[in-house]
Amino acid sequence: MDVFGGAPRFLAYPRPVMVQSGADAVLKCQIGGDPRPAVIWERNNEKIDPQGRYRVFEDGNVYNLIISAVTTEDSGQYICKAKNSIGETYAAATLKVEGEAQEMEFREENKPRFLIKPLSTRVGRGEDAVFSCKLWGSPRPEVVWEKDGRKLNEIFESTHFSVGYQDGGWFQLKIFKTRAPDGGVYTCKARNEFGEALAGAVLLVDAGPGHEEEGNRNGYTNGHWKAHQGKQRSGRQVPNRLKDDTMTKSTKVKMFAVTEGKHAKFRCFVTGKPKPEIIWRKDGRLILSGRRYLLYEDREGYFTLKVLYCKQKDNGVYVCAASNTAGQTLSAVHLSVKGKSRSFSLTSEFQL
């Protein structure tokens, strides 16, 4: 027989608890009653099931709720309810988790970031191409390489490329005996439990004398988009040429973010004689004007792509390819679509 018999009542009310982020929190109260009451804990009007990070145990008439590895999201009010055949009672316990700023700082310090980004490169047909980058992150990030938005094992046979890691945070992608279709935008994606980072670079593959048709059959010349055919002279075709300084000026992959539901506007300024032909692609696929895309040349001479009412599926690498009989140049940008906000501006603009 409980000396405090009858309906449940609190002998010691739960006290407010303050702990650091990452520690375990213990909420406790002392309850009497006869018959012995059944005790449950609730948060946001929902019963807490004793599993995962939550544990409950009894020590005589002391009832405990333990929350493991708390975060700032665990802060709030918890209700302890006791009930037997005679009656019921409840009391509230407040948990405050300190260290939100410290937690954010910790995440920022340990999420992946590029110390050295991969560089765009140009190789001759049949040569090996290598992309290298240096990353920081703890734990060590998991790295995935993609070409034009697709994983390499989906488009290449396993013997055509290799990926590797070396001490010091160096990650490498090597493509063996490059072919014209290997040209494109390569993206390195790094992720761990604290966040992710990505960087991209462009590979151009020069088809070389006698192989121009091979590149054209695959929709590529000089490593990427198909250029105009050269002029005819003395009954033979003059192969397309790529100016020596094109790579350093035009192939860095830039980053751009837009809020979901807004328009994204990309502008690319290109000059040349004859006037270059402009092609836009997303993740390697040709973009045509339609319900979601607007393609036009504005009054200032900028070639413009407008992606309307951006959605998550619009994430990816967009490339503006300009070509004429003298050669070609590329500009690339990685679009990231973020969650909705209350901003009143409908269009975000990026100039390549």
Side-chain angles (χ1 to χ4, degrees):
M1 173 74 67
D2 191 321
V3 295
F4 299 104
R9 63 185 182 276
F10 283 90
L11 307 177
Y13 283 90
R15 296 182 178 181
V17 174
M18 182 180 299
V19 296
Q20 290 293 320
S21 176
D24 294 348
V26 181
L27 304 176
K28 62 176 61 181
C29 54
Q30 187 176 9
I31 303 174
D34 185 25
R36 185 177 180 86
V39 174
I40 64 171
W41 292 84
E42 293 182 352
R43 187 186 183 199
N44 298 329
N45 295 319
E46 293 185 2
K47 179 183 176 182
I48 296 175
D49 292 323
Q51 60 182 4
R53 295 193 304 118
Y54 298 102
R55 290 181 292 143
V56 297
F57 75 92
E58 302 172 8
D59 182 12
N61 58 7
V62 177
Y63 297 83
N64 300 269
L65 169 65
I66 301 176
I67 309 172
S68 301
V70 295
T71 69
T72 53
E73 294 180 356
D74 294 314
S75 294
Q77 196 172 71
Y78 293 77
I79 306 297
C80 179
K81 288 186 176 181
K83 183 178 182 180
N84 63 13
S85 58
I86 301 176
E88 63 181 289
T89 187
Y90 65 91
T94 301
L95 171 63
K96 182 178 181 181
V97 180
E98 289 189 321
E100 181 174 1
Q102 294 91 328
E103 182 180 346
M104 291 299 295
E105 182 179 348
F106 181 78
R107 295 184 70 88
E108 286 296 319
E109 288 178 352
N110 290 281
K111 73 178 185 180
R113 64 180 182 271
F114 285 89
L115 303 179
I116 299 177
K117 295 182 178 181
L119 297 176
S120 297
T121 187
R122 187 177 76 192
V123 298
R125 178 182 178 276
E127 297 178 345
D128 294 344
V130 179
F131 294 106
S132 297
C133 58
K134 189 174 184 179
L135 278 159
W136 161 257
S138 181
R140 191 176 86 188
E142 177 184 348
V143 168
V144 175
W145 292 87
E146 296 181 354
K147 176 185 181 291
D148 296 329
R150 298 178 63 189
K151 294 181 179 179
L152 298 186
N153 56 12
E154 296 177 356
I155 55 178
F156 290 155
E157 58 272 23
S158 60
T159 57
H160 190 50
F161 72 97
S162 68
V163 295
Y165 171 78
Q166 294 180 347
D167 292 341
W170 285 98
F171 293 83
Q172 185 182 83
L173 165 65
K174 189 170 186 179
I175 303 167
F176 303 107
K177 297 180 180 179
T178 55
R179 305 163 295 203
D182 295 335
V185 179
Y186 288 79
T187 304
C188 178
K189 293 185 176 182
R191 176 181 294 177
N192 66 12
E193 61 190 85
F194 298 114
E196 64 179 25
L198 71 160
V202 172
L203 172 63
L204 295 179
V205 181
D206 289 332
H211 294 281
E212 292 83 2
E213 284 302 316
E214 176 184 336
N216 291 339
R217 283 197 302 271
N218 290 281
Y220 296 84
T221 297
N222 290 333
H224 213 37
W225 319 129
K226 182 176 179 181
H228 291 302
Q229 295 297 321
K231 294 181 180 180
Q232 298 290 327
R233 294 183 183 175
S234 304
R236 66 184 182 89
Q237 180 173 297
V238 178
N240 295 314
R241 300 290 183 185
L242 187 65
K243 294 181 180 179
D244 292 339
D245 62 351
T246 302
M247 280 298 304
T248 57
K249 292 184 178 180
S250 62
T251 52
K252 183 179 179 181
V253 180
K254 308 171 184 70
M255 304 296 170
F256 179 54
V258 65
T259 304
E260 189 172 2
K262 290 186 177 181
H263 305 329
K265 185 177 179 181
F266 304 115
R267 304 173 77 210
C268 183
F269 187 77
V270 184
T271 60
K273 290 183 179 181
K275 184 176 180 179
E277 178 185 352
I278 302 297
I279 296 176
W280 290 89
R281 292 187 183 241
K282 174 186 180 290
D283 295 334
R285 296 184 179 181
L286 183 66
I287 296 175
L288 301 175
S289 285
R291 294 171 58 187
R292 297 292 319 288
Y293 301 111
L294 296 179
L295 300 171
Y296 59 93
E297 182 178 358
D298 66 19
R299 296 178 180 177
E300 300 175 51
Y302 284 88
F303 295 95
T304 302
L305 164 65
K306 197 169 185 179
V307 184
L308 304 178
Y309 305 104
C310 288
K311 303 177 182 179
Q312 289 299 320
K313 67 179 182 180
D314 295 316
N315 285 310
V317 178
Y318 292 76
V319 173
C320 175
S323 59
N324 63 14
T325 53
Q328 68 170 349
T329 184
L330 305 176
S331 291
V333 59
H334 189 285
L335 175 64
S336 177
V337 181
K338 306 296 185 182
K340 293 184 177 180
S341 70
R342 297 183 179 180
S343 173
F344 293 100
S345 176
L346 186 59
T347 301
S348 294
E349 183 175 309
F350 185 87
Q351 185 167 309
L352 294 169

